[in-house]
Amino acid sequence: MLGLSLTIGSSGNASPLEYILDLTLDPGNSRLSGMARLVFSSEKRNIISLMLDSGCTVQSVTKFEKAIKYRQAGNYLIIELAGDTEDELFEIVVSYTAVFNDQPPANPIHNEDPTYGVSAIISTKGTFLSGAAGWYPLLLDEPALYRVRIETPLGYIGVTSGRLVASGESESAAFFLWQTETPLQALSLAAGPYLIKKELADTIPIYSYFYPQSQDLADTYLLATRHYLELYQNLFGRYPFEKFAIVENFFPTGYGFPSWTLLGSSVVRLPFIVETSLGHEIAHSWWGTGVMVDTRYGNWAEGLTTYLADHLYKERESADAGAEYRLKILRDYATLVSIEDDFALAQFGSRDSKASQSVGYGKGAMLFHMLRKKIGEAAFWAGLRKVVEQKMFRKAAWSDFRQAFESTSGADLKPFFKQWIEHPGAPVLELSGVSVAHQGDTWQVIGTILQRGKPYVLSVPVRIKGVTDSVDQIIECSAAKTPFVFTLPWSPRRIVIDPDIDIFRRLSPEEIPPTVNGVRGSDNLLVIVSDALPEPVQQAALDLVSAFRQDQAKVISESAVSNEQLQNHDLLLIGLPTRAKIRPLLAEGLLITDQQFVVAGDTFNNSSADLFAALPHPYKFDLNCALFLPASAESAKVASRKIPHYGKYSYLVFEQGNNRLKGTWTPSSSAMIHEFTSYE
């Protein structure tokens, strides 16, 4: 029947369900014409409920070529089956048409919603149909095999998951036939006027589907794809899908789907995409699309993929680069996630803000790092391979990872996973009461590690450094106060808690330099506009408020601001204030005059360069402050859209829309470090 091969389980249910989709795209009219053939098993069903967008027009529904009753209810197609279904297999055919024309923003202010509100669009520029958009009749929560025929105008190419088994052209149209060999939860599709390049990575077909103007990037992306596939196959085993394709999209995206990734035109030319994001999406082939997420218990995939891609690349660059990446995670979390708005990893589904990203991606990555430190290299990597072996193409929850790591390490990991997954927040650590006693040929270092709030169970790394020597120790902490004593054969000069940033924790204010994210994550921001700033420049610069997603912030002129407001709010200063009491405290290395400003030794003209600087708050050390000096209305609009992308930095300079300088101020002190004086 239909030339398909179904495996019938002992229960009599088809495993998996199979779809045949026959699609015709009409980009000029944003139109899709479709016929969906769904093959079901003999399980008795009175009603079949399929997700189908309410904008779709259903033309017919048949069973064994006979019309049957159906109705549309919201975004669902409800099909009524007449009588008992005794057939071993039966087929439902849905014929339908639809117009999909979600409009991506021409100049998005921010990118915290990675979809930009677009789930389905068919246009001459390109097509994107998300698996969550209901663009074909989908039986939810039942993985299926797909055979998809896409007909398009000549020169317009359709791409989806699976293997390309056939393609061809007539005088007026082209077709592309894709078939999956592994069951998928849902199907996404892209199409556009692409040029195709194909190579083999060992035996894996790899493709680039780029627009003509981006074709010069194809070789770079294909070479990088070879590298990442080799890396991850060595770590986790055979690549699980039929191909890997890099597909260009006409609006900004960074999506990973089974066997392909969809990257926006404005994204593919960024140099760091090949070095990080491409590998991140390929890692998802094992984690998220291969081993799937059981979303009832939280999304582990983004944290794990961040750790096995973005962090792993930095770690392989150098130990210092890895520690710096982990420090960025802690800084983002401290500045973007308030204690009141924090939530448990078990509650993370997908990112909808930088704050949620800091938990789901950042805290999730740090959990796997702490686990690796706890159980060791061999048990950690063996545990991941065990999950791949047991759960490929199946849903996995946090508990499945725990059981795999318990198996490879022999450790009871229930307390560890419960502590880091089920509870919101993070430990707050402080080094206290440190002293040294010298007797004969030994020195005793005495001190206490404090934990604020409910104590965590932690293995805290400690490093003591002398003039030429150093020693690393682990302190087991499970109480509000954990005293320690170390005996050394040499004089100590410094003691550092968590020197390599191996613990997920909430940084204390003095550990956090002023950064873009400090203002971006504010929950009490006051925006003060300089009286000296021309009105057109004021209005353009206020785009930064929307770019920070701070539209609820109060905007006030400097002449109207009160002392109480200055002392109790995070501040975003638009233009240099003329009143002395509002002037920010300039960080070391920053000088501003009427004609120019100097940052870290580089001089820029005020009339041609835009400056953003996160600075110490003029009244309270634990509040945030930033200054935005736009050169013009035009440059302010461009810089406003770009500044939020540089969250970890303290200062940014833009000229002609391009970033010319960026950097981070050095924190003045840390509660995690004690410097011994000479008389100690």
Side-chain angles (χ1 to χ4, degrees):
M1 183 178 184
L2 301 177
L4 297 176
S5 173
L6 277 75
T7 303
I8 307 298
S10 59
S11 65
N13 294 340
S15 177
L17 175 74
E18 299 205 33
Y19 277 79
I20 297 177
L21 299 178
D22 196 339
L23 312 170
T24 300
L25 299 180
D26 179 3
N29 295 299
S30 301
R31 181 181 174 87
L32 166 69
S33 300
M35 178 180 292
R37 300 175 181 268
L38 290 73
V39 180
F40 290 91
S41 72
S42 59
E43 178 187 3
K44 291 185 178 182
R45 306 167 186 252
N46 294 320
I47 290 178
I48 296 175
S49 179
L50 303 169
M51 186 174 77
L52 186 67
D53 185 83
S54 59
C56 294
T57 300
V58 177
Q59 297 167 322
S60 66
V61 178
T62 63
K63 175 187 170 188
F64 293 136
E65 300 182 354
K66 293 182 180 180
I68 57 176
K69 292 182 179 180
Y70 67 89
R71 56 189 168 86
Q72 288 182 265
N75 289 322
Y76 286 89
L77 173 64
I78 312 299
I79 299 172
E80 300 179 17
L81 299 177
D84 292 337
T85 301
E86 299 293 348
D87 305 283
E88 182 178 331
L89 298 176
F90 68 95
E91 173 190 272
I92 298 293
V93 179
V94 181
S95 297
Y96 66 103
T97 61
V99 172
F100 293 112
N101 197 23
D102 292 348
Q103 289 299 309
N107 293 295
I109 293 292
H110 61 76
N111 70 336
E112 293 191 16
D113 174 4
T115 72
Y116 292 97
V118 178
S119 61
I121 179 173
I122 301 171
S123 74
T124 54
K125 291 182 179 178
T127 289
F128 171 60
L129 301 173
S130 164
W135 60 271
Y136 68 96
L138 172 64
L139 190 63
L140 293 173
D141 298 321
E142 292 201 24
L145 295 173
Y146 287 87
R147 187 175 177 87
V148 185
R149 185 183 188 277
I150 309 168
E151 183 171 310
T152 65
L154 287 176
Y156 199 91
I157 297 169
V159 189
T160 188
S161 296
R163 185 182 305 279
L164 183 63
V165 295
S167 62
E169 294 182 353
S170 66
E171 291 184 0
S172 59
F175 79 91
F176 307 89
L177 183 61
W178 297 90
Q179 183 167 318
T180 69
E181 298 169 2
T182 55
L184 306 180
Q185 293 285 333
L187 197 72
S188 298
L189 182 150
Y194 300 131
L195 297 178
I196 308 171
K197 189 159 190 176
K198 176 187 176 183
E199 294 181 1
L200 287 175
D202 195 7
T203 60
I204 304 165
I206 57 176
Y207 298 82
S208 63
Y209 288 82
F210 284 175
Y211 292 117
Q213 62 268 27
S214 303
Q215 193 62 20
D216 61 306
L217 301 172
D219 288 341
T220 298
Y221 272 85
L222 292 172
L223 180 63
T225 297
R226 288 173 179 273
H227 163 73
Y228 291 123
L229 288 172
E230 180 181 5
L231 168 66
Y232 290 124
Q233 288 191 110
N234 287 337
L235 288 175
F236 309 125
R238 185 180 64 86
Y239 175 69
F241 294 105
E242 305 87 347
K243 68 164 189 310
F244 188 81
I246 310 106
V247 184
E248 187 174 355
N249 195 17
F250 67 98
F251 65 93
T253 49
Y255 293 147
F257 303 114
S259 80
W260 61 294
T261 185
L262 184 66
L263 303 176
S265 296
S266 61
V267 173
V268 292
R269 288 199 171 275
L270 298 173
F272 65 85
I273 296 299
V274 176
E275 298 168 4
T276 56
S277 301
L278 176 62
H280 183 107
E281 299 306 336
I282 292 175
H284 269 308
S285 301
W286 283 265
W287 307 110
T289 56
V291 179
M292 296 177 284
V293 178
D294 191 334
T295 55
R296 295 173 298 173
Y297 306 107
N299 182 353
W300 48 263
E302 294 300 351
L304 179 56
T305 304
T306 296
Y307 188 62
L308 298 175
D310 311 65
H311 174 270
L312 182 64
Y313 309 150
K314 287 295 184 182
E315 180 185 76
R316 290 190 167 202
E317 179 183 321
S318 71
D320 287 345
E324 181 65 28
Y325 186 90
R326 297 190 294 275
L327 180 58
K328 174 187 177 298
I329 288 176
L330 300 194
R331 285 176 174 171
D332 285 351
Y333 175 76
T335 54
L336 293 169
V337 184
S338 67
I339 294 174
E340 296 77 18
D341 294 333
D342 207 345
F343 61 92
L345 268 175
Q347 297 174 295
F348 175 70
S350 61
R351 73 174 174 98
D352 57 9
S353 66
K354 284 295 183 182
S356 65
Q357 183 176 0
S358 294
V359 175
Y361 291 59
K363 183 178 182 177
M366 287 298 294
L367 177 147
F368 285 102
H369 182 73
M370 292 185 291
L371 178 65
R372 183 177 165 197
K373 291 290 183 180
K374 183 179 181 68
I375 66 175
E377 292 290 311
F380 178 78
W381 295 107
L384 291 175
R385 288 191 292 272
K386 194 175 191 70
V387 175
V388 168
E389 292 167 6
Q390 295 178 340
K391 291 292 183 177
M392 183 57 67
F393 307 128
R394 298 170 60 196
K395 290 184 178 181
W398 283 108
S399 59
D400 295 302
F401 283 88
R402 174 181 60 77
Q403 291 165 12
F405 289 120
E406 285 180 336
S407 173
T408 58
S409 68
D412 177 9
L413 297 174
K414 287 182 182 178
F416 176 88
F417 275 80
K418 182 179 180 65
Q419 173 175 267
W420 292 109
I421 293 170
E422 297 183 15
H423 302 291
V428 179
L429 304 180
E430 183 178 337
L431 188 58
S432 176
V434 179
S435 63
V436 63
H438 180 205
Q439 186 173 2
D441 294 332
T442 63
W443 285 259
Q444 274 197 333
V445 177
I446 304 165
T448 301
I449 294 179
L450 305 180
Q451 288 199 62
R452 301 181 206 163
K454 183 179 179 180
Y456 282 66
V457 178
L458 303 170
S459 297
V460 179
V462 179
R463 181 169 296 153
I464 307 173
K465 303 184 76 171
V467 176
T468 58
D469 300 288
S470 69
V471 62
D472 289 337
Q473 300 284 348
I474 297 292
I475 301 176
E476 301 297 336
C477 298
S478 59
K481 297 181 179 180
T482 304
F484 61 84
V485 178
F486 295 121
T487 301
L488 304 171
W490 36 261
S491 174
R493 291 292 180 264
R494 164 188 273 205
I495 181 170
V496 184
I497 302 299
D498 192 24
D500 297 322
I501 321 297
D502 291 322
I503 297 175
F504 183 74
R505 59 188 178 87
R506 185 173 286 275
L507 301 177
S508 57
E510 61 267 24
E511 293 181 87
I512 309 169
T515 62
V516 171
N517 278 341
V519 175
R520 182 179 190 164
S522 171
D523 57 7
N524 71 338
L525 186 65
L526 180 68
V527 182
I528 302 175
V529 181
S530 169
D531 291 340
L533 204 62
E535 176 68 20
V537 182
Q538 289 184 23
Q539 294 305 313
L542 286 173
D543 278 359
L544 182 58
V545 179
S546 295
F548 278 159
R549 298 189 77 175
Q550 287 282 356
D551 294 304
Q552 78 287 351
K554 184 176 179 63
V555 179
I556 193 170
S557 68
E558 67 167 298
S559 56
V561 71
S562 67
N563 290 336
E564 187 275 334
Q565 288 174 313
L566 289 173
Q567 294 171 15
N568 293 286
H569 285 80
D570 294 320
L571 305 176
L572 174 58
L573 309 177
I574 305 292
L576 193 64
T578 59
R579 300 169 68 189
K581 72 175 183 178
I582 308 175
R583 288 266 177 154
L585 298 174
L586 299 187
E588 184 177 351
L590 175 63
L591 176 66
I592 300 174
T593 69
D594 291 338
Q595 287 79 36
Q596 62 187 24
F597 57 86
V598 180
V599 188
D602 291 324
T603 301
F604 299 90
N605 193 308
N606 287 351
S607 63
S608 59
D610 305 276
L611 169 68
F612 181 93
L615 300 167
H617 194 279
Y619 294 98
K620 289 188 177 179
F621 81 94
D622 58 344
L623 292 177
N624 298 285
C625 180
L627 173 67
F628 181 31
L629 292 184
S632 67
E634 293 74 20
S635 67
K637 283 187 170 293
V638 176
S640 293
R641 286 168 167 77
K642 295 190 174 186
I643 289 168
H645 295 279
Y646 295 83
K648 69 178 182 180
Y649 294 103
S650 300
Y651 54 85
L652 304 164
V653 178
F654 296 92
E655 286 184 321
Q656 296 180 338
N658 297 312
N659 178 248
R660 298 301 186 194
L661 188 67
K662 59 181 181 289
T664 305
W665 313 125
T666 301
S668 57
S669 63
S670 171
M672 306 290 279
I673 300 174
H674 179 83
E675 304 280 357
F676 294 99
T677 59
S678 58
Y679 60 82
E680 292 178 317

